[in-house]
Amino acid sequence: MRPALANRLTPYMFLAPAAVIMAIALLYPLGYMIWGSFRDWSPSQTIGEAEFVGFKNYITLWNDPNFRESLGVTLKFAFFVVTFEMIIGVGLALLLDRDLRGMSLLRTLFILPMMIAPVVVGLMWRYMYHPTVGTYNRLLDWLGLPTVDWLGQHALMSIIIADIWQWTPFIFILSLAALQSLPRSALEAARIDGATGWQQIIHIKLPLMMPVLIVTALLRLIDAFKVLEVILVMTEGGPGLSTEILALRISRTATEFRELGVAAAMSNYLLILLLGLTVAMFAFNRLQEIRAARVRAAVEEDE
Amino acid sequence: MSQSNTRQNPAFYALIAVLVIMAIGPVLLMFVNSFKLDVDIISGTSGLLFLPTIQNYEKALCDVLWYEPSHVEFCSLKFGGAFINSLIIALVSTVLTLIIGCMAAYALVRFRFMGRDTVSMSTLMVRMVPPAVLLVPVFGLWNNEFCLDKEGLIGGFIRDTMGGRGDVCLAGTHSGIILIYVAMNLPFVIWILQSFIVQIPRSLEEAARVDGAGPFQVFFKVVLPLIKPGLAAAAIFTFRIAWNEYLLASALSDRDTKTVPILIVNNMSEFNVEWGVIMATGMLLAIPPIIFTLFASRQIITGMTAGAVKG
């Protein structure tokens, strides 16, 4: 082969494996799912044998009270999880942003919950929430307080607490990184002007961190729709439908009820929801860049 | 904020102590309980006053132990096999993702025929897709479409040598699970590595090329050694996902290719929960990520901030 031709082909050769794998294992399945969502499809059939039913699966789902409840649970879960995690995570970052010895050890310990398998996190919390054996009820009992039916009546709250435990460190670490890259001069100036700690936080730190915080929150929101294993192990979606988030319902529709078409349609609803969020995030990023560029231009004009 | 000169409030240290206990308490609890007999866990002799035993671990690992523990009558839990499956799947998919992702990232940065925007957009788009959404199509495709006809050349050969009936399909094999993990992790790996490759000065590569190195030599001898930190971060994240994932593995695996998370979930849902053994299996599954966290926390944090803040 002539060297010039080899050079021209190199990038394609480097890129080809990744492109092929993503095409057959991500794009093709997604298209397959959209196609399958218009069919009455059971696991024993191939997709060609399944009957075409148009939008029936989508309409059935839309009118299905169970699906709506599951959607409601998912939205509630995502909302509370992200809200509490942002408040606690950012709060801790503001509090711990100082020269501490052992800060890196602290961060190491904090990321531990995120690295452990969701299945294991689920089983730890299922043990701790156990009505008689569990740590919490034993503690309450020891203190002479009435015990709480964690995974029964308060199941949704309990899974929210477990998720907060697992993912607050993510927010904490990202906002700490954002805090430590803030321009020193602005903070210095504020301190010289006599701003109190609270004033510094509200008027300087938080506004400067805001872009990173919003991206972090959106990332966490997208991830909150993916949580499945922790809930599966802790409650299996019960009692009733009280903790059956959409991801769990999709997997149950596919494996237990054996209705692949309906499960595919449900997956599509979830995907559309997440697509909306992602587009919002992109739009926000773009807006931020445009604003930054405009500020830069204005500064240059002044000079 | 540098307040190192002023003495910290004692309440501040108390707060940090509470946070640390909250963060690692549940893990420690699981660790302690995995060395207790079920009787001790249930009877409530909490605290550290108990006789540690490795019976739970013996029971969990009974199919790979070289001796037969006296308290295990029947080895029902095939944990050792599942552990080996998990290791194979996680390691192979990590290595493959890194090699393929590295090449793609290099091509995207150096030859710039797609902008960084395209890459960051597709990264985000894939990050958005929950595994549950992939469940239905992957189950259908891997079982029905990604098959080799048993009458065909390769399929026939596999059926003749390995036995079994029907067409040879991806579902139920290690490679089937590895394929979907590689695809799921590729965009993220490409994104992280790209941010490291951008920082390599172009002149370095040109110098190597002047000295007569071909594009592949430049890649392996110049670029790869320089992006080691990025590779470490990407490797840990890929390994973590492949090691911990449950849903897709449970749809794609059969009796012989079960991974550890599947085994734990199956064991959990049975009527009579043996807490001690479950905790031991959970601990064994958690050990590799814990080791990574303790020894490579800097790389993990780098990967997390690069993946989120710049993404």
Side-chain angles (χ1 to χ4, degrees):
Chain A
M1 214 190 305
R2 288 201 317 276
L5 185 65
N7 273 342
R8 200 137 34 89
L9 283 180
T10 312
Y12 296 99
M13 270 151 59
F14 272 64
L15 209 57
V20 168
I21 285 191
M22 282 173 50
I24 61 169
L26 276 179
L27 294 180
Y28 183 43
L30 285 179
Y32 193 78
M33 179 192 72
I34 294 171
W35 193 36
S37 68
F38 297 111
R39 283 160 186 268
D40 184 14
W41 183 18
S42 86
S44 53
Q45 295 166 305
T46 64
I47 200 166
E49 292 160 11
E51 194 193 339
F52 185 84
V53 291
F55 280 96
K56 181 166 161 275
N57 290 331
Y58 290 93
I59 296 163
T60 319
L61 274 178
W62 193 247
N63 295 322
D64 181 3
N66 290 345
F67 171 72
R68 287 184 171 199
E69 178 162 359
S70 177
L71 186 64
V73 170
T74 313
L75 293 175
K76 236 189 277 175
F77 175 78
F79 173 78
F80 282 117
V81 156
V82 174
T83 312
F84 282 114
E85 281 168 13
M86 285 307 287
I87 294 172
I88 302 173
V90 175
L92 285 179
L94 288 170
L95 205 63
L96 297 182
D97 175 32
R98 41 185 106 187
D99 287 337
L100 272 185
R101 250 184 301 150
M103 192 60 206
S104 65
L105 179 68
L106 210 60
R107 266 194 297 205
T108 306
L109 294 180
F110 282 166
I111 53 178
L112 206 56
M114 281 185 274
M115 300 301 287
I116 291 178
V119 169
V120 177
V121 172
L123 87 87
M124 287 186 313
W125 283 85
R126 179 158 161 183
Y127 168 73
M128 291 195 293
Y129 281 143
H130 193 280
T132 51
V133 187
T135 317
Y136 292 127
N137 272 358
R138 231 177 237 168
L139 190 68
L140 288 174
D141 214 26
W142 183 70
L143 291 171
L145 296 167
T147 56
V148 177
D149 187 10
W150 294 100
L151 292 177
Q153 284 170 328
H154 307 287
L156 188 58
M157 182 189 78
S158 303
I159 60 170
I160 289 174
I161 293 176
D163 194 83
I164 292 175
W165 174 78
Q166 199 188 1
W167 286 104
T168 302
F170 176 74
I171 314 259
F172 166 72
I173 285 181
L174 290 188
S175 35
L176 193 62
L179 256 179
Q180 288 174 342
S181 61
L182 292 185
R184 294 281 138 195
S185 54
L187 294 171
E188 208 66 36
R191 215 173 15 249
I192 290 169
D193 287 348
T196 62
W198 277 108
Q199 283 171 332
Q200 285 180 35
I201 288 173
I202 292 171
H203 295 296
I204 297 169
K205 289 182 186 170
L206 282 183
L208 283 176
M209 283 162 75
M210 209 31 98
V212 176
L213 289 188
I214 290 178
V215 172
T216 311
L218 276 168
L219 273 181
R220 186 63 208 118
L221 189 63
I222 289 171
D223 282 351
F225 286 96
K226 297 201 231 169
V227 177
L228 175 127
E229 283 112 328
V230 179
I231 301 177
L232 176 75
V233 172
M234 272 180 10
T235 66
E236 288 163 48
L241 291 178
S242 58
T243 55
E244 187 162 282
I245 55 159
L246 271 184
L248 203 54
R249 192 163 178 82
I250 291 171
S251 95
R252 276 188 64 197
T253 314
T255 54
E256 272 175 45
F257 312 145
R258 302 174 68 78
E259 289 172 351
L260 293 188
V262 179
M266 211 181 310
S267 309
N268 264 338
Y269 273 133
L270 182 58
L271 215 50
I272 291 168
L273 186 70
L274 286 171
L275 194 67
L277 285 174
T278 312
V279 168
M281 180 161 159
F282 247 106
F284 176 78
N285 261 352
R286 197 35 56 77
L287 212 69
Q288 211 71 42
E289 274 164 28
I290 293 171
R291 197 186 295 162
R294 201 177 296 154
V295 170
R296 220 174 299 132
V299 170
E300 273 164 17
E301 254 171 48
D302 284 351
E303 278 168 0
Chain B
M1 215 57 357
S2 58
Q3 301 183 352
S4 51
N5 298 336
T6 56
R7 275 182 63 84
Q8 300 290 357
N9 200 334
F12 183 72
Y13 285 104
L15 173 80
I16 289 181
V18 170
L19 285 177
V20 169
I21 290 172
M22 269 165 50
I24 60 169
V27 186
L28 279 183
L29 194 69
M30 180 171 74
F31 182 72
V32 170
N33 273 336
S34 71
F35 288 100
K36 280 185 188 175
L37 291 175
D38 278 355
V39 200
D40 286 335
I41 297 176
I42 290 167
S43 70
T45 47
S46 52
L48 296 164
L49 288 172
F50 68 98
L51 213 59
T53 166
I54 57 163
Q55 277 195 19
N56 294 324
Y57 287 93
E58 284 179 328
K59 214 169 188 173
L61 292 168
C62 56
D63 62 331
V64 286
L65 281 184
W66 57 95
Y67 60 93
E68 266 182 47
S70 55
H71 56 90
V72 182
E73 298 117 43
F74 175 66
C75 188
S76 57
L77 205 64
K78 299 277 184 284
F79 185 86
F83 197 82
I84 292 166
N85 283 334
S86 271
L87 264 184
I88 295 173
I89 290 171
L91 287 178
V92 173
S93 55
T94 306
V95 171
L96 281 180
T97 317
L98 282 192
I99 296 174
I100 298 171
C102 208
M103 284 162 49
Y106 180 62
L108 284 173
V109 174
R110 276 297 173 257
F111 304 98
R112 55 186 96 195
F113 47 110
M114 275 200 284
R116 280 169 67 79
D117 276 352
T118 325
V119 184
S120 64
M121 180 123 99
S122 58
T123 311
L124 205 64
M125 286 295 170
V126 174
R127 185 172 178 154
M128 175 197 95
V129 176
V133 166
L134 288 173
L135 178 71
V136 175
V138 161
F139 178 81
L141 281 173
W142 268 233
N143 272 307
N144 297 321
E145 310 252 319
F146 290 175
C147 292
L148 291 167
D149 193 356
K150 66 179 165 189
E151 310 293 336
L153 194 63
I154 306 170
F157 174 73
I158 294 176
R159 273 292 164 259
D160 285 343
T161 45
M162 314 278 281
R165 279 174 289 122
D167 292 343
V168 182
C169 289
L170 260 185
T173 64
H174 289 126
S175 7
I177 305 176
I178 290 170
L179 175 65
I180 185 70
Y181 287 168
V182 171
M184 268 169 41
N185 283 319
L186 261 181
F188 183 68
V189 167
I190 293 176
W191 174 243
I192 286 200
L193 291 181
Q194 190 186 236
S195 67
F196 280 84
I197 294 176
V198 167
Q199 294 165 9
I200 301 177
R202 235 194 139 100
S203 52
L204 217 59
E205 287 171 53
E206 267 149 24
R209 204 159 296 158
V210 168
D211 289 346
F216 281 92
Q217 271 175 310
V218 170
F219 177 67
F220 283 106
K221 298 227 166 111
V222 180
V223 177
L224 272 193
L226 284 174
I227 54 169
K228 268 188 198 147
L231 285 175
I236 290 172
F237 276 86
T238 321
F239 183 89
R240 183 190 72 128
I241 291 182
W243 181 257
N244 292 346
E245 212 275 336
Y246 160 77
L247 186 70
L248 292 171
S250 79
L252 291 180
S253 67
D254 64 6
R255 208 157 34 90
D256 300 322
T257 48
K258 258 189 206 159
T259 58
V260 178
I262 303 173
L263 193 107
I264 292 181
V265 172
N266 288 352
N267 238 30
M268 244 359 237
S269 45
E270 268 161 34
F271 179 65
N272 191 8
V273 179
E274 290 178 322
W275 282 111
V277 179
I278 296 249
M279 297 276 183
T281 54
M283 207 57 220
L284 287 170
L285 181 65
I287 283 174
I290 291 178
I291 292 175
F292 282 140
T293 316
L294 295 184
F295 289 101
S297 62
R298 181 166 304 153
Q299 280 80 4
I300 295 173
I301 291 171
T302 311
M304 227 158 51
T305 38
V309 176
K310 294 181 207 154

